[in-house]
Amino acid sequence: MAKSKTTLVPKSIKSILTFRYDYTQKPILPKLTWRDFTEKQVTDPENHVEKIIVDSIKKNLGNLKSSNVCIALSGGIDSTLTLCLLRKSFADIKINALSVKFANSVDESTDARIIADKFSANHQIMYIENYFRELPKAISVTKLPFWDLHWYHVAKKAKTLSNVIVSGDGGDELFGGYTFRYKKFLSLINPNSPYKEKIQVYLQCHERDWVPDQTEVFGKKIRFSWDEMYGYLKPYFDNPLPPLAQVFLADFNGKLLYNWLPLYSQIHKHFAIKSLTPILSKKMISYATHIPHELKYDDQKQLGKLLLRNILDKYIKNKLLFKNKQGFSVDTKNFFNSYGYDLCKYYLSNARTTKAGLINNDWIKKHLRKVDDAADIKYVNKFLGLLALEIWFRLFVTKEMKPNTVLS
């Protein structure tokens, strides 16, 4: 995002407030190209995928020599399978399964508890009323202006349970978990659609990340252009891959590479906790990216992560326990009306970022209000993004805010 703590790169601001990731960073994992997603014929992929995950768990956890681990358990496919194979690999290890329950949001902790019990894990539910209370601290740790930093709270709690945190990260990107996007994308394009049209449709499938009047969000010092944004995404859609594989490529090189991984890495470093992501091992990335997409996603049933589901079938027969899970998800509309609006009104009404010419104050005054329906969710997310940028600016540029400032 920045060359130093006091230098903002305009491309970073445009990227974060349009894609919700900063493509100017140097990623932790290598960025992939279209050649990495060319399909290859595979033999016995279910057993092969399971073996890669198990081998990763045994090797990495064995090297850590820990008798006690914590796993982030949402109750979805990825975290459930990871817990399942963790228990299969280490029958006697103590496993603390941590689930998150956000205020006024969907609660999936009951199913998560059933799953934890099945695999002899000690289940704990962490309730979060207002996860923005420590946002200045979380941003000071990550050094990036993102608002969706729930992982800060997960890691903070996990550290009290173990020095090792295990997660199912990567399952959506490598095995076709974003089914709601695939359905919409495939319905709006055809194989002969030009790359620019596919990019525009792809962005429509991420409509919570930007607003219809996106060009008006930015101040005079930020020259925003959709063509610039399209240019960054061009390599993912201007290539010989079939359309769905192009989406897989863009998704991998999106929030996973430039948001979650760098943020999680900084958070883990801050809490001195070791991270294990067996689905996202280098060997799995090399293998899973070449698996034919029909083994990942059923476009008739609109069902994703087929391989992972089939592996889980051997261990859990009740498919209702891992169907259509949202993972650790906060209802942003409810959260905004309860807490976010007042915070945005306080910090953005006299925003330092508008005075610096980064954000358009007229746009803020025009749209800042509580929301009544789901159609406003785009603006909710945009205001939360602007709030995170403002806090970042006050922490690292004007330095008038302290990391331990509590937002309430």
Side-chain angles (χ1 to χ4, degrees):
M1 163 87 195
K3 294 181 180 179
S4 71
K5 291 182 179 180
T6 59
T7 304
L8 286 171
V9 179
K11 282 187 178 181
S12 296
I13 299 175
K14 288 183 280 188
S15 177
I16 290 172
L17 292 177
T18 305
F19 300 139
R20 266 172 58 190
Y21 61 82
D22 179 8
Y23 67 77
T24 70
Q25 298 180 82
K26 182 179 179 180
I28 295 173
L29 292 177
K31 187 176 179 179
L32 300 185
T33 71
W34 69 265
R35 290 180 176 82
D36 296 304
F37 277 82
T38 54
E39 294 184 358
K40 298 179 180 178
Q41 292 301 313
V42 293
T43 303
D44 198 15
E46 290 171 23
N47 285 331
H48 197 67
V49 167
E50 181 174 351
K51 185 178 185 304
I52 293 176
I53 296 175
V54 169
D55 287 349
S56 177
I57 292 173
K58 288 182 176 179
K59 177 183 177 181
N60 291 285
L61 200 52
N63 289 340
L64 293 174
K65 298 179 181 178
S66 176
S67 60
N68 173 27
V69 301
C70 182
I71 183 169
L73 183 66
S74 67
I77 295 285
D78 308 330
S79 62
T80 300
L81 178 61
T82 302
L83 171 58
C84 168
L85 298 182
L86 173 60
R87 177 55 73 203
K88 176 183 177 180
S89 303
F90 292 90
D92 299 324
I93 198 171
K94 180 180 179 181
I95 302 175
N96 299 286
L98 179 61
S99 300
V100 180
K101 181 179 179 181
F102 293 101
N104 300 315
S105 299
V106 175
D107 178 18
E108 298 178 335
S109 60
T110 301
D111 287 347
R113 179 178 295 280
I114 296 173
I115 294 167
D117 289 344
K118 179 174 179 61
F119 296 107
S120 303
N122 174 37
H123 188 239
Q124 295 201 28
I125 300 173
M126 180 173 61
Y127 178 76
I128 301 178
E129 174 70 27
N130 173 12
Y131 77 107
F132 268 25
R133 279 179 58 83
E134 296 183 59
L135 186 60
K137 182 63 175 180
I139 290 176
S140 73
V141 168
T142 62
K143 299 179 176 60
L144 289 167
F146 292 102
W147 62 268
D148 46 347
L149 295 176
H150 68 275
W151 197 256
Y152 169 87
H153 301 274
V154 174
K156 182 180 180 181
K157 177 63 177 180
K159 179 62 178 180
T160 68
L161 303 171
S162 172
N163 289 321
V164 180
I165 184 169
V166 184
S167 71
D169 293 336
D172 286 318
E173 290 79 11
L174 292 178
F175 291 96
Y178 297 121
T179 55
F180 59 97
R181 291 213 286 262
Y182 311 150
K183 176 186 177 183
K184 184 173 183 178
F185 181 83
L186 294 175
S187 70
L188 295 176
I189 61 99
N190 63 69
N192 297 318
S193 295
Y195 79 85
K196 190 171 183 178
E197 180 181 323
K198 286 188 282 188
I199 290 173
Q200 292 169 335
V201 170
Y202 179 72
L203 288 171
Q204 287 182 43
C205 299
H206 293 254
E207 56 188 357
R208 287 191 172 201
D209 296 341
W210 52 274
V211 290
D213 53 350
Q214 182 77 1
T215 58
E216 299 175 24
V217 172
F218 302 95
K220 294 180 180 179
K221 289 188 178 180
I222 304 293
R223 297 180 179 178
F224 180 83
S225 163
W226 274 117
D227 284 338
E228 180 183 351
M229 300 294 104
Y230 300 156
Y232 170 71
L233 295 173
K234 180 180 177 181
Y236 308 146
F237 295 93
D238 187 16
N239 58 60
L241 292 176
L244 190 56
Q246 292 176 332
V247 173
F248 292 159
L249 171 62
D251 282 349
F252 184 92
N253 288 323
K255 291 190 182 76
L256 174 69
L257 217 59
Y258 292 105
N259 180 315
W260 300 331
L261 291 182
L263 295 181
Y264 287 12
S265 176
Q266 289 293 94
I267 291 169
H268 296 153
K269 181 180 179 181
H270 173 75
F271 288 111
I273 190 168
K274 298 292 184 181
S275 171
L276 176 58
T277 54
I279 295 180
L280 203 53
S281 67
K282 290 183 179 179
K283 189 171 183 180
M284 182 65 82
I285 293 172
S286 178
Y287 179 77
T289 49
H290 295 291
I291 294 175
H293 69 261
E294 62 266 17
L295 297 179
K296 301 178 181 181
Y297 173 64
D298 185 330
D299 59 350
Q300 298 298 316
K301 297 180 180 179
Q302 287 148 33
L303 193 65
K305 294 191 267 199
L306 301 180
L307 277 174
L308 302 187
R309 289 174 184 273
N310 290 340
I311 296 170
L312 260 182
D313 274 348
K314 298 189 297 183
Y315 302 98
I316 298 180
K317 298 303 179 183
N318 185 0
K319 296 182 180 180
L320 293 177
L321 288 180
F322 50 89
K323 182 180 180 181
N324 298 325
K325 299 296 181 183
Q326 295 186 26
F328 295 155
S329 178
V330 64
D331 187 314
T332 49
K333 182 173 77 71
N334 289 341
F335 172 77
F336 183 79
N337 285 339
S338 297
Y339 299 101
Y341 169 76
D342 289 335
L343 290 172
C344 288
K345 184 177 180 181
Y346 179 79
Y347 285 102
L348 298 180
S349 294
N350 187 26
R352 311 307 189 249
T353 49
T354 60
K355 292 180 179 179
L358 304 176
I359 303 299
N360 181 3
N361 189 52
D362 290 337
W363 186 92
I364 291 176
K365 290 191 294 185
K366 178 180 179 181
H367 292 291
L368 183 55
R369 59 182 174 79
K370 290 191 176 183
V371 296
D372 300 319
D373 55 58
D376 294 315
I377 198 65
K378 294 181 180 181
Y379 288 92
V380 167
N381 284 359
K382 191 57 57 204
F383 271 107
L384 295 181
L386 292 175
L387 176 62
L389 179 63
E390 179 68 18
I391 291 171
W392 188 97
F393 199 84
R394 296 190 186 202
L395 284 168
F396 293 113
V397 180
T398 65
K399 299 184 179 179
E400 63 193 274
M401 180 178 281
K402 302 299 182 183
N404 291 330
T405 300
V406 174
L407 305 185
S408 59

